[in-house]
Amino acid sequence: DIQMTQSPSSLSASVGDRVSITCRASQSIDNYLNWYQQKPGKAPKLLIFAASSLQSGVPSRFSGSGSGTEFTLTISSLRAEDFATYYCQQALSTPPYSFGQGTKLEIK
Amino acid sequence: QVQLQESGPGLVKPSQTLSLTCTVSGGSISSGDYYWSWLRQPAGKTLEWIGRVYSRGDINYNKNNPSFKSRVTISVDTSKNQFSLKLTSVTAADTAIYYCARVGTSWEDFDYWGQGILVTVSS
């Protein structure tokens, strides 16, 4: 099965910063990569599908890029509500679906 | 607006069966464009996919997790717009938040989620 590895595991940043999170797949998954945001006590929320397509209603400060084995989620200018944990998920070789271990974005 | 809602007991004794139901509103579970999935998340850990059901009745389980082997059953009741999860012979390792979610068949993205239900396995 395909393993997903995110880096960093945690990240401290300030409001207004530009931040990027990386997700690597153990084998090529083309652009079958989705990103989620999860806040404490809440279900995950789909942000990006197909590596770079913004889900309806998601602010344009979120963007995704990459293909093959390396992908990036970028937040162009952090807002207070963006501090959360972010997960990537591969969607090529399914089932099963596999998720990264998560990146916790904290306020500096 | 599609909504999913998990229901079931929040406390299950070891060796017993965990049974959860997901009720879908705002859309038909019979739509051929989606799978309907169960996932779980132990405290402080990442998401783990358990299995999915398609409206036609096709079912897939996570065969890569040996702890699920032969313990998981997913079913669908289109008349009630619900799908269900049964996990037998539970142990403390099955304590987690359990989520139901809708999965698009084009990009296999989990676009709608239930709020999650905490299930604790304890005597």
Side-chain angles (χ1 to χ4, degrees), chain A residues 6-27:
Chain A
Q6 289 180 233
S7 61
S9 297
S10 63
L11 176 60
S12 293
S14 302
V15 171
D17 284 353
R18 178 185 180 89
V19 299
S20 293
I21 298 168
T22 297
C23 178
R24 289 185 175 85
S26 59
Q27 63 191 73

Side-chain angles (χ1 to χ4, degrees), chain B residues 67-111:
Chain B
S67 77
F68 288 147
K69 186 176 180 181
S70 303
R71 296 200 298 136
V72 179
T73 302
I74 294 174
S75 59
V76 62
D77 185 337
T78 55
S79 68
K80 295 182 179 179
N81 227 31
Q82 295 176 335
F83 62 107
S84 298
L85 169 71
K86 290 188 186 300
L87 182 65
T88 63
S89 304
V90 297
T91 69
D94 295 310
T95 294
I97 296 174
Y98 285 76
Y99 293 102
C100 59
R102 189 181 82 167
V103 190
T105 55
S106 296
W107 293 102
E108 311 260 1
D109 51 327
F110 295 79
D111 61 352

Side-chain angles (χ1 to χ4, degrees), chain A residues 22-101:
Chain A
T22 297
C23 178
R24 289 185 175 85
S26 59
Q27 63 191 73
S28 177
I29 56 172
D30 295 335
N31 64 333
Y32 283 82
L33 191 284
N34 306 316
W35 288 98
Y36 302 85
Q37 176 194 66
Q38 186 177 34
K39 295 181 179 179
K42 300 293 186 182
K45 173 187 174 183
L46 177 65
L47 298 176
I48 302 281
F49 64 95
S52 60
S53 296
L54 199 64
Q55 175 70 347
S56 177
V58 174
S60 59
R61 64 182 181 273
F62 291 92
S63 64
S65 63
S67 66
T69 62
E70 187 159 332
F71 303 86
T72 302
L73 172 70
T74 299
I75 309 172
S76 60
S77 181
L78 274 174
R79 298 185 60 162
E81 59 264 36
D82 299 335
F83 293 94
T85 300
Y86 293 85
Y87 294 95
C88 61
Q89 172 238 327
Q90 71 85 15
L92 176 65
S93 179
T94 65
Y97 304 98
S98 48
F99 293 82
Q101 80 277 21

Side-chain angles (χ1 to χ4, degrees), chain B residues 37-59:
Chain B
S37 265
W38 286 99
L39 307 94
R40 70 182 186 181
Q41 186 174 36
K45 296 188 177 181
T46 190
L47 297 149
E48 180 176 37
W49 179 73
I50 300 171
R52 72 184 185 189
V53 62
Y54 192 50
S55 58
R56 299 175 305 190
D58 301 337
I59 300 172

